[in-house]
Amino acid sequence: MSRLVLFILLVFVYLCNSQYPPSPFGKPQDICPTGNNQPYKVDNFVGTPFILTPFTNVFTNPTILNASTKTCRPDGHCMFAYTIDIYDTTLRPFDQAVAECTKKGGTKFLTYNGLIPGPTLRVAAGHESIVRFNNKINKLFPQSFSPCNGSRRGRPISVHHHGSASIPPYDGWAEDETCYLETKEYVYPNNRPATNWYHDHALHITADNAYLGLAGLHLVTSKLQYGGCGEPWNLEDIEEKHLILQDKVLDANCQLFIDPEKARNISLYGDINLVSGIPFPRMPLEPKWYRFRILNAAVSRPWLLKIFNSKYEDISKTYCKIIASDGGYRITPIPFPDTGLLVGVAERYEFVCDFTTFANQILYLWNDKNNDWMQGVPYFCYSHLLSKLEIAPTTSDSPPQFNENMPMPIPERTITRVLNMSDYDTALQMANKGKFHRQMVFSQSNNKWMINGETWDSFKIAAADVGQNTWELWYFQTGGGWFHPVHVHLVDFYMIKREGSGGIRSFESMAAKDVLYLGASNKIYVLARFGPHKGDYMFHCHNLIHEDNDMMRAYRIIDSQNGINAGSAQPFILNGFAKIVYSNWLYADPMLNLTAAQPTVNMPTFNSAYKQKMLDMNIYRIFYPRNETDIPLNGFTNPWRSTWCPA
């Protein structure tokens, strides 16, 4: 070994062991690049061939995209309008953390409005949003894919507002795609507060499109200052940090590495941890309470979050509380778990932390590892590092305090109105007896990822008789060796029971979810009321490599009386309810021509008259009834009706 190589190795061992918190997951010389700009691998996954330097960039929240206009009804319910251009460009997010990248050209990305991650849309709960997405991808990623390879052309996109109870044509069906110089308009209900997000969902290229940059937050907020009806627990003025977690890997030209031959259709893992598009950021904070909104927008990697002090002791379990999950607020906050907060791909959690006693100290947002929960996940040199939290000596003001005992306002939780404890108890009794309504087996065979032995291409509809507004208990199962973050579109659900991996975890229990973490050899029972809309919706593994290789299928919601658990629709469906639980068959088809993408030049002018027309159509009447005759229903209350305050 030459003296130069030996010197580089010694320097890098020093860096991994002293300048930054050491990795407990392997010897530094085994998991770090050698500095010779040559490719290296960890567990056969390729790493960036350059030396990385964490904590050189300063964290900032993703950019907020303000609505261009607001259109309102006399009752104060409004629609906010946005326009987003999707185009390819070069950016330089890695220059500080990867010094070699300063010698290279900019990194190519697919972007929403030229940003990675995309701009954050922030809409008050109880108010709709209308978003026009214009496909302008042209120069850097010229390859065409079906259906954009004939009279239409370019790289297709499809946008899924993840966490939204959208009607099928606005849900981001994988085959409802937008080609180059086309526009697709989406209308979203925003019917309950939650940390939602939007990302690409184009058929068979979702992983590449999302990995190259197509993801962003869509926050539905109940804050008074943004037009909501008020936050619980004194959260109104507690400062928020919006953390989008991703991992990337660069090639020798500082371009995002994607296996061009698709030789590995298992997973994609990177050695550079991005927090809202920033590699391993420093996060200047004050000694006060903070609210963290966490989104896992990686392709494959789960994160096991903890907060360590400078002695690498876990302080999160003492000073942090989890307040929300995918579908919004918990009924009550719970302590941060001793085992860490496991966040699978596409899962979202919110937690608050009290840093008032950590003035002038350094903390670390840490990615821990649990081999039972995270089989086969590689840990590179700095995979354990997410962010360095630098707590200032003093605060600049008199900051608000988190108070979980504040009685008002009551958080808006749709799931507690449509699924009561009697439903939950009945489902739990079924699960304890090994009974369920449907079984979904996630497996791999012949390089295909399948659900019940079928794929999207072989047989799309896995459940064709789900009754509108009925509840069902679904049973998810996978074999040994693989874990799957499973996303069910449209609904929020409860995880009832897990067999394996220690059962339901504290942060999953009684939490509104739309992604379940199906660990290796796990069996999970899930309860959902399949409403309020009719039509076809996807469900799939959210490891995007698995999804693209074809672990995705769909279910169909039909009239309640034809569903397999028809009786559970009462009292949601009665003859007198026709005006509320409405027959929306016009919008049941996700490929509806009326709402399909069209050439941008043919789109109606996005003016006030057009937006008023879209608001008046009231396609989400189930959430936003127009008058008092829509609200009382033969003595019952419409459980889907959203609460709104004048925005």
Side-chain angles (χ1 to χ4, degrees):
M1 181 181 294
S2 72
R3 291 183 178 181
L4 177 61
V5 172
L6 180 60
F7 174 77
I8 291 172
L9 283 174
L10 289 174
V11 168
F12 214 80
V13 169
Y14 172 78
L15 288 176
C16 278
N17 274 312
S18 60
Q19 186 174 351
Y20 311 110
S23 169
F25 308 123
K27 297 178 181 179
Q29 62 266 33
D30 294 336
I31 60 175
C32 293
T34 61
N36 60 3
N37 297 351
Q38 295 299 311
Y40 80 108
K41 294 183 179 180
V42 173
D43 299 336
N44 208 34
F45 289 95
V46 174
T48 299
F50 306 123
I51 289 178
L52 311 179
T53 309
F55 309 144
T56 56
N57 298 79
V58 177
F59 175 84
T60 57
N61 279 341
T63 301
I64 299 290
L65 178 63
N66 293 318
S68 59
T69 59
K70 176 179 71 172
T71 307
C72 298
R73 302 190 319 203
D75 62 4
H77 169 69
C78 302
M79 177 178 283
F80 294 82
Y82 303 84
T83 299
I84 294 180
D85 292 333
I86 303 176
Y87 59 90
D88 41 350
T89 189
T90 57
L91 300 170
R92 308 196 66 93
F94 302 108
D95 283 2
Q96 289 181 260
V98 189
E100 283 291 323
C101 287
T102 62
K103 306 173 186 177
K104 312 289 184 179
T107 305
K108 300 175 184 176
F109 287 95
L110 296 175
T111 70
Y112 295 116
N113 280 1
L115 301 171
I116 56 113
T120 296
L121 278 66
R122 183 175 56 202
V123 183
H127 300 277
E128 295 169 77
S129 52
I130 182 170
V131 190
R132 282 193 172 180
F133 288 94
N134 303 310
N135 186 342
K136 297 183 177 181
I137 302 168
N138 184 31
K139 298 177 181 178
L140 304 179
F141 300 95
Q143 184 179 1
S144 293
F145 298 88
S146 177
C148 307
N149 51 10
S151 58
R152 306 168 74 191
R153 60 192 177 95
R155 188 183 189 98
I157 58 95
S158 178
V159 183
H160 173 48
H161 178 175
H162 189 131
S164 177
S166 305
I167 58 175
Y170 297 143
D171 186 57
W173 186 258
E175 294 176 349
D176 181 28
E177 293 172 300
T178 304
C179 300
Y180 176 56
L181 294 182
E182 293 181 352
T183 295
K184 165 81 176 182
E185 193 170 83
Y186 295 81
V187 181
Y188 301 127
N190 307 311
N191 57 297
R192 49 95 177 104
T195 299
N196 295 345
W197 63 303
Y198 63 104
H199 62 83
D200 190 76
H201 220 307
L203 186 65
H204 298 319
I205 58 170
T206 293
D208 287 5
N209 282 0
Y211 181 70
L212 290 168
L214 295 186
L217 287 170
H218 191 133
L219 304 181
V220 183
T221 178
S222 54
K223 287 192 173 185
L224 293 170
Q225 60 187 300
Y226 303 126
C229 293
E231 295 267 82
W233 310 318
N234 205 34
L235 290 170
E236 183 72 31
D237 296 312
I238 292 178
E239 186 175 344
E240 293 190 7
K241 298 297 181 181
H242 303 158
L243 277 56
I244 302 174
L245 308 182
Q246 299 170 307
D247 57 335
K248 309 290 185 186
V249 59
L250 301 178
D251 65 16
N253 294 312
C254 283
Q255 300 303 314
L256 295 177
F257 173 83
I258 300 176
D259 183 359
E261 304 300 326
K262 303 295 182 186
R264 295 185 65 86
N265 69 346
I266 297 174
S267 294
L268 173 63
Y269 296 109
D271 59 350
I272 301 174
N273 293 341
L274 298 187
V275 182
S276 298
I278 306 167
F280 308 106
R282 298 168 38 234
M283 188 180 299
L285 302 175
E286 296 180 356
K288 63 181 183 180
W289 282 92
Y290 282 90
R291 175 182 184 175
F292 296 92
R293 293 182 185 259
I294 302 289
L295 158 65
N296 182 348
V299 172
S300 303
R301 182 180 292 277
W303 310 90
L304 185 57
L305 302 184
K306 296 180 179 179
I307 297 178
F308 281 7
N309 62 17
S310 58
K311 297 179 181 179
Y312 312 127
E313 300 166 332
D314 181 8
I315 63 102
S316 45
K317 57 189 177 185
T318 304
Y319 294 94
C320 302
K321 291 199 171 186
I322 299 172
I323 61 171
S325 55
D326 305 336
Y329 296 115
R330 298 185 57 85
I331 296 173
T332 57
I334 60 168
F336 211 89
D338 291 347
T339 53
L341 176 60
L342 180 65
V343 188
V345 179
E347 288 188 289
R348 291 89 66 211
Y349 287 98
E350 299 179 38
F351 57 87
V352 291
C353 292
D354 180 7
F355 295 144
T356 55
T357 60
F358 292 94
N360 210 29
Q361 295 190 37
I362 298 296
L363 304 174
Y364 296 97
L365 181 60
W366 186 273
N367 177 33
D368 211 16
K369 188 174 185 181
N370 182 309
N371 288 323
D372 292 334
W373 296 354
M374 307 156 80
Q375 289 188 21
V377 177
Y379 270 64
F380 297 89
C381 186
Y382 296 126
S383 290
H384 56 301
L385 302 181
L386 281 165
S387 183
K388 183 180 182 180
L389 312 182
E390 301 173 342
I391 315 299
T394 60
T395 59
S396 57
D397 52 17
S398 299
Q401 304 290 307
F402 176 73
N403 184 355
E404 61 187 286
N405 297 315
M406 290 188 69
M408 292 296 287
I410 298 173
E412 175 82 353
R413 305 185 194 94
T414 307
I415 194 169
T416 59
R417 296 198 303 268
V418 300
L419 287 172
N420 58 40
M421 286 309 300
S422 176
D423 302 326
Y424 186 98
D425 291 342
T426 301
L428 181 59
Q429 292 173 22
M430 290 176 61
N432 287 335
K433 295 177 182 178
K435 296 181 179 180
F436 46 84
H437 293 108
R438 302 182 197 272
Q439 181 177 10
M440 302 298 174
V441 179
F442 285 62
S443 62
Q444 186 197 43
S445 179
N446 297 322
N447 291 322
K448 291 287 185 181
W449 296 96
M450 300 185 293
I451 302 173
N452 289 354
E454 299 285 355
T455 70
W456 181 265
D457 291 332
S458 67
F459 198 77
K460 289 184 181 64
I461 303 297
D465 54 352
V466 180
Q468 183 191 26
N469 287 312
T470 65
W471 68 255
E472 293 186 9
L473 184 66
W474 285 22
Y475 174 69
F476 294 87
Q477 179 180 348
T478 188
W482 307 111
F483 61 87
H484 304 286
V486 180
H487 173 40
V488 183
H489 286 223
L490 176 67
V491 297
D492 292 332
F493 54 71
Y494 285 129
M495 296 174 65
I496 298 292
K497 181 181 181 182
R498 174 188 277 113
E499 297 174 357
S501 299
I504 298 293
R505 292 179 266 276
S506 62
F507 47 90
E508 298 169 327
S509 177
M510 295 304 297
K513 299 281 294 164
D514 58 46
V515 181
L516 62 98
Y517 194 92
L518 186 63
S521 301
N522 276 193
K523 301 172 182 178
I524 299 179
Y525 296 83
V526 167
L527 169 67
R529 185 171 296 280
F530 288 88
H533 314 306
K534 297 178 183 177
D536 294 353
Y537 290 92
M538 299 177 290
F539 68 100
H540 55 88
C541 179
H542 221 292
N543 180 327
L544 298 181
I545 305 298
H546 298 185
E547 176 188 320
D548 283 347
N549 284 284
D550 281 290
M551 193 171 265
M552 179 170 67
R553 298 189 68 192
Y555 64 95
R556 177 167 293 157
I557 299 180
I558 62 175
D559 284 332
S560 60
Q561 64 268 24
N562 297 320
I564 63 173
N565 192 27
S568 68
Q570 306 297 346
F572 292 82
I573 307 290
L574 295 175
N575 290 336
F577 282 26
K579 291 182 180 179
I580 291 297
V581 183
Y582 54 99
S583 296
N584 60 339
W585 283 115
L586 172 63
Y587 297 107
D589 181 4
M591 297 291 287
L592 183 67
N593 286 335
L594 178 67
T595 58
Q598 58 181 296
T600 302
V601 295
N602 295 343
M603 289 293 292
T605 303
F606 209 36
N607 57 19
S608 58
Y610 179 81
K611 294 164 190 173
Q612 186 67 52
K613 171 189 170 185
M614 294 301 295
L615 177 65
D616 291 343
M617 285 176 64
N618 204 24
I619 58 174
Y620 292 113
R621 183 179 181 183
I622 190 71
F623 301 127
Y624 305 117
R626 278 198 179 98
N627 52 56
E628 290 303 313
T629 62
D630 277 351
I631 298 173
L633 306 169
N634 294 350
F636 293 96
T637 300
N638 171 13
W640 294 104
R641 183 183 187 272
S642 181
T643 299
W644 68 88
C645 294

